[in-house]
């Protein structure tokens, strides 16, 4: 599979950003979200964990909702997964098949045209981020 890097996002009316934790949307993808919104694209955020590594999952979930509100993402377009095999943590390796299944079901349900996520190294090397990339490709 070839990865094509572009300076401009392709036109799409429905995109899904797949992240591992609440705060990934802000830390790594704000410019991408803004560019998509500027193009008139509907953006869905699929967050594959509650970010509960330090026991702050409920706080981080609220922060995700607040950040998405600021970024112009409708609350109905935010999906946060709380699965026992997808727990936040640098020692937690997520099963690629499970990640792929969740992404596929959500993309099909919402008729998504474009999926955006981390690069092969998970941007920061976090194993949860890498697992999201693996489950996407």
């Amino acid at each position: 599979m070839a990865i094509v890097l572009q300076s401009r996002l392709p036109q799409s009316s429905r995109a899904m950003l797949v992240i591992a934790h609440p705060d990934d949307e802000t830390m790594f993808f704000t410019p991408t979200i803004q560019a998509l919104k500027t193009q008139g694209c509907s953006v869905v955020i699929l967050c594959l964990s509650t970010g509960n590594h330090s026991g702050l999952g409920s706080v981080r979930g609220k922060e995700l909702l607040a950040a998405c509100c600021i970024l112009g993402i409708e609350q109905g377009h935010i999906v946060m997964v709380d699965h026992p095999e997808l727990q936040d943590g640098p020692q937690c390796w997520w099963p690629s098949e499970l990640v792929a299944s969740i992404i596929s079901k959500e993309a099909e349900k919402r008729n998504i045209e474009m999926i955006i996520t981390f690069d092969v190294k998970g941007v920061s090397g976090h194993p949860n981020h890498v697992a999201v990339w693996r489950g996407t490709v």
Side-chain angles (χ1 to χ4, degrees), residues 28-99:
F28 305 116
F29 296 105
T30 294
T32 302
I33 294 168
Q34 290 173 326
L36 289 166
K37 296 298 287 178
T38 298
Q39 292 178 4
C41 185
S42 174
V43 178
V44 172
I45 303 286
L46 175 58
C47 183
L48 293 176
S49 79
T50 62
N52 201 32
H53 178 60
S54 300
L56 298 172
S58 63
V59 171
R60 292 180 76 191
K62 290 175 188 170
E63 291 172 347
L64 173 64
L65 294 175
C68 287
C69 180
I70 291 168
L71 291 167
I73 298 170
E74 300 170 34
Q75 192 167 355
H77 289 186
I78 305 162
V79 179
M80 191 176 326
V81 176
D82 186 8
H83 191 285
E85 291 186 69
L86 302 178
Q87 295 304 303
D88 178 11
Q91 304 303 318
C92 298
W93 293 95
W94 295 354
S96 297
E97 301 80 18
L98 175 60
V99 171

